[in-house]
Amino acid sequence: MSGTLNEQELVQYIAAETGAEPESIRVVLKHEKTFINTAEANEQGEVEIDSDDLVDFVLSCKDVKLDEMTVEAVLDAEMDYLMDIGIAVDED
């Protein structure tokens, strides 16, 4: 795949996978970005993101109208998309 991020395609993919509305998906992705950008790097310069902490952060934002399971599904679908296009890799 191309390895470039197309936000519109990403949102459409997530909507198809989760049934969530595109605007709700954009809100979740916006807060996810804020969480990641404010996370501190470890000694190796890597940022480790705990998915439970991320979901809790997103749910704490007043403009998020989705339930916990839907937020998790949106984030999981995003990761699937990013892995499909070669931007992310699963390190589990």
Side-chain angles (χ1 to χ4, degrees):
M1 290 253 166
S2 67
T4 59
L5 181 62
N6 177 321
E7 183 181 347
Q8 182 67 24
E9 187 177 283
L10 169 63
V11 171
Q12 288 174 345
Y13 177 90
I14 295 171
E17 292 292 312
T18 65
E21 293 295 322
E23 189 54 40
S24 294
I25 293 167
R26 285 185 184 90
V27 169
V28 169
L29 296 178
K30 174 184 75 170
H31 292 304
E32 175 196 31
K33 184 176 183 178
T34 299
F35 182 85
I36 291 170
N37 287 341
T38 58
E40 293 191 29
N42 63 18
E43 294 171 359
Q44 293 79 27
E46 300 169 340
V47 176
E48 294 185 27
I49 302 297
D50 180 281
S51 61
D52 291 333
D53 291 344
L54 173 57
V55 170
D56 290 344
F57 175 79
V58 171
L59 288 170
S60 74
C61 298
K62 295 183 189 307
D63 58 346
V64 174
K65 306 296 185 216
L66 301 174
D67 61 37
E68 181 176 356
M69 288 181 60
T70 306
V71 169
E72 288 176 354
V74 166
L75 296 171
D76 288 344
E78 177 197 23
M79 182 56 73
D80 291 343
Y81 176 84
L82 295 175
M83 287 175 22
D84 287 349
I85 66 169
I87 290 179
V89 292
D90 188 5
E91 293 188 2
D92 286 339

